[in-house]
Amino acid sequence: MPEFGYFLSCEEHSPAELVEQARMAEQAGFTSLWVSDHYHPWNDHQGQSPFVWSVIGALSQAVSLPVETAVTCPLVRTHPAVVAQAAATSAVQLGGRFRLGVGTGEALNEHILGSAWPEASVRLEMLEEAVQIMRRLFTGAQVSHRGKHYTVENARLYTVPDDPVPIDVSAFGPQAAEVAGRIGDGLITMTPDRTLIERFRRSGGSKPVYGGLKVCWGTDKEEAVRTAHRLWANEQLPGELPQILPTPRHFEQASQLVTRDQVQAVLPCGDDVDTHLEAITKYVEAEFDTVYVSQIGRDQRGFFEFYRTEVLPRLGA
């Protein structure tokens, strides 16, 4: 049986709200935290996007749970040497209870400095080089690097944890899964795709797999569906669109093609226990090590009470 964590959404909530949700998650019985790392929300309805490293500093003082970014892109907007410093400091603040989740990112967040947005194969190549740089810096040694995509000169992290920060790699397709298996300490993905997981394990061996899903708990199912559609219709956009659309406005335009029925078909909405259990069980059956659940909308307190009393006990958590 996997463990169950809570996924903090920086796109929807202010820093103070995220810290309060982390406290409620710990009290409800969740055993770890994911926190998203964005410059922009996906759409204006979500309405927030605080700097994740400041939020992590606050979390380190508020809860005793492990924390992981899901996920950070160390490619364009932020140089991998800077991400390494932020991650190492976070690990020290959390007493070693920090993992760095990384991925190839989205133009939505990464294009803001005016750089060209590379195609997917190039971004994977950049990610592999970035991970190599960060692992060297986590040792506390002085690092100089001149590679195809990055230059580092005489860099040394003086504030480092006792053990190097684990780096988990996000993947949604077969090529990315192979790269994740080769360079990552674990896999991050948002769907219980057995084929993807098998490809990751063939490439990397016996490493942990972490998954996330969104739900919209509420006593009025139809209202929950409307909330999920208004805030997160973007999750149902197909193919590479989520990686290449540049602004929240573009996501809002594309999301007009997503219907409420499409959202309801894939997102647990309402307060039926079996509906929530069925969605989570797919991850259990796919042999995930930890499943992170994220509540859509404002009624966080009701969600945590529901999971504390109805859902987590039936999962054996």
Side-chain angles (χ1 to χ4, degrees):
M1 180 65 68
E3 294 189 3
F4 298 95
Y6 187 71
F7 191 172
L8 297 165
S9 174
C10 283
E11 300 92 333
E12 276 193 67
H13 303 287
S14 70
E17 290 169 336
L18 294 167
V19 171
E20 180 59 24
Q21 288 166 26
R23 292 193 182 102
M24 289 190 289
E26 186 167 31
Q27 293 165 2
F30 290 98
T31 60
S32 55
L33 298 169
W34 265 1
V35 59
S36 55
D37 180 1
H38 268 229
Y39 193 90
H40 293 136
W42 297 98
N43 56 61
D44 283 354
H45 292 298
Q46 292 171 356
Q48 293 282 343
S49 202
F51 189 55
V52 72
W53 304 106
S54 299
V55 174
I56 290 170
L59 293 174
S60 74
Q61 303 302 301
V63 296
S64 62
L65 299 180
V67 178
E68 177 166 20
T69 55
V71 295
T72 295
C73 179
L75 303 189
V76 178
R77 171 171 52 103
T78 312
H79 192 283
V82 177
V83 173
Q85 185 185 28
T89 298
S90 296
V92 170
Q93 287 178 302
L94 285 156
R97 295 175 285 108
F98 178 76
R99 300 180 76 92
L100 176 63
V102 298
T104 56
E106 304 89 15
L108 173 71
N109 305 299
E110 304 304 313
H111 83 288
I112 60 168
L113 302 181
S115 302
W117 183 235
E119 63 182 34
S121 60
V122 176
R123 300 201 309 272
L124 278 172
E125 189 178 83
M126 296 171 72
L127 183 64
E128 191 158 359
E129 186 176 339
V131 168
Q132 176 190 359
I133 292 168
M134 292 189 293
R135 289 198 189 281
R136 291 176 63 191
L137 286 166
F138 289 152
T139 67
Q142 181 170 295
V143 174
S144 290
H145 171 92
R146 287 174 178 80
K148 183 175 181 180
H149 300 287
Y150 302 106
T151 297
V152 178
E153 187 170 291
N154 303 330
R156 178 184 172 189
L157 298 181
Y158 281 81
T159 300
V160 293
D162 293 336
D163 298 310
V165 178
I167 301 176
D168 300 320
V169 178
S170 173
F172 298 95
Q175 185 180 1
E178 290 181 0
V179 172
R182 187 171 68 251
I183 71 172
D185 296 307
L187 172 69
I188 288 174
T189 189
M190 296 298 287
T191 57
D193 185 338
R194 284 181 174 271
T195 302
L196 185 80
I197 293 170
E198 289 168 1
R199 193 151 191 165
F200 164 74
R201 287 182 169 145
R202 283 198 303 270
S203 178
S206 181
K207 296 176 181 178
V209 177
Y210 306 101
L213 78 155
K214 286 185 165 54
V215 306
C216 191
W217 176 87
T219 55
D220 183 334
K221 181 178 178 179
E222 292 306 314
E223 178 60 28
V225 171
R226 287 192 292 270
T227 298
H229 180 261
R230 178 172 58 87
L231 293 174
W232 287 96
N234 59 278
E235 285 226 323
Q236 308 314 315
L237 295 176
E240 292 186 58
L241 273 180
Q243 282 74 54
I244 63 174
L245 294 178
T247 70
R249 181 180 178 185
H250 288 97
F251 276 92
E252 290 166 7
Q253 293 168 351
S255 294
Q256 293 176 23
L257 302 174
V258 178
T259 67
R260 289 181 185 173
D261 287 343
Q262 286 176 284
V263 171
Q264 184 174 352
V266 296
L267 271 176
C269 294
D271 61 353
D272 179 66
V273 177
D274 290 335
T275 300
H276 289 259
L277 289 171
E278 182 181 353
I280 295 171
T281 298
K282 294 176 182 178
Y283 291 79
V284 176
E285 292 174 345
E287 300 181 352
F288 279 71
D289 292 274
T290 306
V291 182
Y292 291 84
V293 183
S294 181
Q295 161 71 353
I296 295 171
R298 307 305 303 176
D299 195 353
Q300 297 288 320
R301 191 168 297 278
F303 161 84
F304 283 116
E305 180 64 14
F306 176 68
Y307 266 67
R308 183 185 70 81
T309 59
E310 302 290 342
V311 178
L312 293 180
R314 290 179 61 176
L315 291 168

